[in-house]
Amino acid sequence: MVRADFLTGIALILVGLYVILESWRMPRMEHLGAHPLSVPGIVPAFLAGVLIVAGAVLAIRSVRAGGHRLGLSREKLREVLAKPGNRRLVIALVLTIGYAGFLIGRIPYEVATGLFIFAFIVVFEWKRGCATTRYVRIVVAAAILAVVTTAIVGVAFERLFLVTLP
Amino acid sequence: MTAVLLDNLGQFSSAIGGFLTPAALFHMAWSTLLGIVIGALPGLTATMGVALVTTLTYKLEADLAILILMCVYVGAIYGGSRTAILINIPGTPANAATTLDGFPLAKQGLAGRAMGVATSGSVLGSVIGMFFLATLAPLLGNYALKFQSFEFFWLAIFGIVISGHLTALEDPIKGWIAGFIGLMTAMVGQEGIHAYERFTYGTTELMGGFALIPAMVGAFGFAEVLTVMRDPAAEMADNPQDSVVPKWEDVAKYWRTIVRSGLIGTIIGIIPGVGEDIGAWVSYAAARRKSKERDKFGKGSIEGLMAAETGNNAVVPGAIIPVLTLAIPGSAPAAVLLAAMFIHGVRPGPMIMVESPHFVYQVVAMVFFATLAMGLFGILLTKPLLTVLAIPRTKLMPVVFVLCAIGSYAITSRLFDIWVMIGFGLLGFVLREMRYPMAPLVLGIILGDLLDKNLRRGLVLSDGDLTPFFTRPICLVLWLITLTSILLTIEPVRNGMQHVWQRVRTRRR
């Protein structure tokens, strides 16, 4: 956690500095006769100031606890990725972002959603060394849930809530 | 005084009458049931439920839509107790304190009785909170009319600091950082005084800032999907063998605890951005301190369970009080509710008692019906409802994620909002992993505009003079509490204060 805190602290300071710079560049509205304290940049700059102070506190605190020694190595990264929980997380990220960020809007909603649900269930329920009947059950259940969910969500949004789905 | 009370009662009864239609009763029934199921399923929280249902109901009339959301909210906070009792996993964060005594009771074969206690506690907590919603909201609404820019500025800062502190007691700075990230997020888009577009970089989609509902669906829905898939699978629950009907003697014996927890829950609810989980913990701690059976706490105490479940449900109406009167949410689900009110053209805030006082009583009536439905379903349908706990996460989570994605898209039909959902989901997940609380972040997103406009307006009004920000009576109270809250987290200051306090006490003796 101290390493994460160190990095967060640095990130907050950098973001804060960037926001202050951007706020400084914002128009002062002098040509409109606006009051100098009503300018758009004043509040973001104030908030950025607070974030810089908080980031500095976080960074200093974690440096004291040795958080600046990141000790990043390929082996450590491989170790982290090898944990089953993290592997599931990466798969979930790929499937969800792939579906919502890239499939929706590019291919019809029904195809994208059906594919996503089917793939999600099969990928997470598939285990090596199971009996063939179990594999068949997983695939059939995934297909049924994919079709039913796609149909229900589609009908609910398009017919009941009158939303044209992508 | 009597005339005012009678008038309040009259408005409340007419609001009740307004909801006695087949359509309203039907919506009440399904939404409360859905709320209970959402609450009971680990990984689906009240905030996520209210946010997702907002996307499903935004085409309905305002009063029906808000009624549905209220029922989901009340139902979910209650529903979470089922899982807490049966499998020691809080269905929603609000039920974390419930596990302490609920699960030991279940292990002793008293799961049904524990559920009965949770039902009675939740119903009574809601009723106590509802009483204060009906009586305090109009008073606070009238009082809030005195607020000017200076007060609103401090209210925003006070909300962020107190919420940040109480939701991250171990490390308050993380709560404050979350809150200020939220405020900063709200700076994106056209600002309210000169209509200048901040941080939009020419994208038209960002002109209106980040839409709140997709952001909440991301932070509470997508982030939760990721957490559930990462964590080991939860155990399946067995249905309780004994009766789930609440027992009168449990209520009669612990009535003091119920009233105390109801009061604590309501107060915690009123404090901006401090939600049901804190309400339950504080009620639990207070009950333990005052209890004659202190040694039973943590080992299956009926009193402890009653305190936790009364406390968390009392927060719900409590959290609605600042939503209605100040447009400041008392909890994360209340923040979604506030956003939903804006979507439906309801304008909560100090003017509500002037512009639409009937709406306040309508909301009280909604809480009343939601509580009634929750109690009824809790007694009649607990056992059949528990079958949903058998649905494995691998089948539930993809469906939830489809709703997150399509729901975010549905409100304004923009693909951009799906990216907002993904972005906030990732941000929420990473922040939560690093133990940053989500409630102050959400509060910050909502309060950003209020802070922005009022700080600048205040500065213009006083011509740059900071004195009114510190000397006006309400400002004085707000900044003193804010400052004390910050100072108390600094160890040398805390030690110094304790030292001074001890010296004062010894001198008095």
Side-chain angles (χ1 to χ4, degrees):
Chain A
M1 192 59 74
V2 281
R3 276 178 295 200
D5 283 353
F6 175 72
L7 291 176
T8 318
I10 301 293
L12 286 174
I13 294 171
L14 291 177
V15 170
L17 289 174
Y18 172 74
V19 171
I20 287 184
L21 189 74
E22 282 284 287
S23 307
W24 184 256
R25 283 200 210 135
M26 282 179 196
R28 311 284 161 87
M29 310 286 175
E30 282 137 344
H31 61 288
L32 296 173
H35 194 287
L37 288 167
S38 76
V39 297
I42 202 156
V43 178
F46 161 68
L47 297 176
V50 176
L51 283 179
I52 290 174
V53 173
V57 172
L58 210 59
I60 293 169
R61 202 179 67 176
S62 49
V63 165
R64 279 190 189 160
H68 58 295
R69 285 189 284 272
L70 295 175
L72 286 177
S73 67
R74 268 193 195 169
E75 270 162 37
K76 214 164 218 176
L77 192 70
R78 217 172 287 154
E79 218 172 83
V80 169
L81 284 176
K83 282 185 187 165
N86 291 340
R87 211 182 300 160
R88 281 199 302 272
L89 175 68
V90 172
I91 297 171
L93 276 171
V94 170
L95 288 171
T96 48
I97 298 178
Y99 160 66
F102 297 100
L103 287 187
I104 293 186
R106 287 201 173 80
I107 60 173
Y109 150 81
E110 292 82 6
V111 182
T113 306
L115 267 178
F116 166 69
I117 295 179
F118 180 79
F120 198 99
I121 297 173
V122 171
V123 167
F124 279 107
E125 292 194 353
W126 201 268
K127 274 186 198 121
R128 267 184 219 164
C130 284
T132 323
T133 47
R134 172 144 174 79
Y135 289 134
V136 173
R137 215 180 300 151
I138 291 173
V139 171
V140 171
I144 293 174
L145 196 69
V147 171
V148 171
T149 310
T150 309
I152 293 178
V153 174
V155 169
F157 277 97
E158 295 207 292
R159 298 282 157 83
L160 282 177
F161 316 128
L162 309 174
V163 177
T164 314
L165 291 174
Chain B
M1 186 70 184
T2 326
V4 175
L5 271 177
L6 280 177
D7 181 46
N8 288 0
L9 209 62
Q11 297 221 42
F12 175 58
S13 351
S14 78
I16 293 269
F19 286 120
L20 287 173
T21 62
L25 292 172
F26 167 71
H27 286 307
M28 243 174 259
W30 73 256
S31 52
T32 312
L33 266 179
L34 180 69
I36 297 177
V37 171
I38 288 174
L41 287 165
L44 303 193
T45 62
T47 317
M48 183 211 257
V50 180
L52 282 180
V53 176
T54 302
T55 66
L56 297 173
T57 52
Y58 77 104
K59 289 261 164 115
L60 284 176
E61 281 170 42
D63 52 347
L64 280 183
I66 309 285
L67 170 72
I68 291 171
L69 298 179
M70 195 68 83
C71 288
V72 172
Y73 184 6
V74 172
I77 297 298
Y78 165 69
S81 67
R82 318 282 91 174
T83 343
I85 291 167
L86 286 177
I87 51 176
N88 204 19
I89 293 173
T92 72
N95 312 94
T98 310
T99 57
L100 295 187
D101 287 301
F103 187 61
L105 279 169
K107 278 209 290 196
Q108 293 160 26
L110 295 171
R113 185 172 176 203
M115 288 192 185
V117 171
T119 307
S120 48
S122 299
V123 168
L124 293 169
S126 265
V127 170
I128 294 171
M130 190 179 77
F131 170 77
F132 287 106
L133 171 63
T135 47
L136 281 186
L139 288 178
L140 191 64
N142 288 327
Y143 190 67
L145 286 172
K146 292 182 189 157
F147 282 29
Q148 287 188 10
S149 293
F150 311 104
E151 282 81 9
F152 275 115
F153 164 73
W154 276 116
L155 204 59
I157 296 287
F158 167 85
I160 293 295
V161 171
I162 299 297
S163 163
H165 195 160
L166 293 182
T167 52
L169 280 171
E170 281 174 18
D171 200 0
I173 196 167
K174 293 197 170 175
W176 298 330
I177 290 174
F180 276 88
I181 290 177
L183 289 172
M184 190 63 97
T185 310
M187 295 298 113
V188 176
Q190 210 170 53
E191 47 89 28
I193 294 185
H194 300 294
Y196 173 73
E197 289 167 24
R198 291 188 292 214
F199 309 107
T200 56
Y201 307 104
T203 35
T204 45
E205 279 107 339
L206 276 175
M207 263 173 63
F210 292 111
L212 196 68
I213 297 291
M216 302 277 259
V217 168
F220 290 91
F222 182 32
E224 200 66 51
V225 169
L226 294 176
T227 311
V228 170
M229 291 317 295
R230 202 266 326 268
D231 291 347
E235 310 165 38
M236 297 293 171
D238 288 329
N239 245 326
Q241 301 301 313
D242 56 335
S243 165
V244 296
V245 179
K247 289 191 168 58
W248 170 246
E249 57 260 34
D250 287 338
V251 175
K253 191 174 174 192
Y254 298 115
W255 70 270
R256 277 175 212 273
T257 308
I258 294 172
V259 173
R260 189 193 315 110
S261 309
L263 277 172
I264 292 174
T266 310
I267 294 168
I268 298 278
I270 296 173
I271 301 173
V274 184
E276 295 76 16
D277 44 347
I278 309 287
W281 283 118
V282 177
S283 302
Y284 185 84
R288 188 171 164 170
R289 211 174 304 129
K290 295 273 177 190
S291 176
K292 288 173 192 157
E293 308 162 347
R294 209 173 298 168
D295 51 317
K296 280 193 190 166
F297 275 65
K299 295 172 194 150
S301 157
I302 298 284
E303 191 178 6
L305 177 61
M306 188 72 95
E309 277 301 307
T310 310
N312 64 19
N313 264 83
V315 170
V316 177
I320 308 293
I321 297 175
V323 165
L324 292 176
T325 54
L326 297 164
I328 291 176
S331 68
V336 191
L337 207 64
L338 177 63
M341 285 180 187
F342 285 131
I343 289 176
H344 286 284
V346 179
R347 285 201 314 139
M351 290 301 284
I352 200 151
M353 287 313 290
V354 179
E355 287 175 358
S356 44
H358 60 278
F359 182 70
V360 174
Y361 295 98
Q362 267 188 325
V363 173
V364 180
M366 291 172 192
V367 177
F368 173 78
F369 281 115
T371 308
L372 206 67
M374 167 184 82
L376 265 178
F377 290 143
I379 296 168
L380 300 176
L381 291 178
T382 285
K383 289 190 179 180
L385 275 181
L386 287 175
T387 49
V388 298
L389 290 181
I391 303 174
R393 59 177 178 172
T394 47
K395 293 197 173 67
L396 185 66
M397 289 303 136
V399 178
V400 169
F401 186 73
V402 167
L403 289 175
C404 288
I406 302 298
S408 302
Y409 169 83
I411 294 184
T412 48
S413 297
R414 292 193 312 176
L415 285 172
F416 178 75
D417 285 333
I418 297 184
W419 279 107
V420 172
M421 183 274 292
I422 294 174
F424 276 86
L426 294 176
L427 179 75
F429 178 76
V430 171
L431 287 179
R432 263 204 307 204
E433 285 297 294
M434 297 192 295
R435 304 207 191 294
Y436 289 82
M438 284 293 103
L441 179 93
V442 170
L443 191 68
I445 301 177
I446 290 200
L447 294 186
D449 184 50
L450 187 90
L451 177 110
D452 181 37
K453 279 187 197 152
N454 287 296
L455 175 59
R456 291 193 283 157
R457 262 187 216 148
L459 285 171
V460 171
L461 281 174
S462 66
D463 202 17
D465 181 11
L466 292 177
T467 326
F469 282 96
F470 293 95
T471 51
R472 291 168 62 92
I474 301 169
C475 291
L476 186 75
V477 174
L478 290 173
W479 78 256
L480 275 176
I481 301 177
T482 309
L483 186 72
T484 315
S485 168
I486 297 171
L487 287 178
L488 280 177
T489 60
I490 304 170
E491 217 177 318
V493 179
R494 196 171 51 228
N495 292 343
M497 276 182 164
Q498 271 172 353
H499 185 67
V500 171
W501 177 239
Q502 270 170 357
R503 283 184 67 177
V504 171
R505 280 177 69 182
T506 39
R507 257 193 207 171
R508 268 194 203 154
R509 277 176 205 155

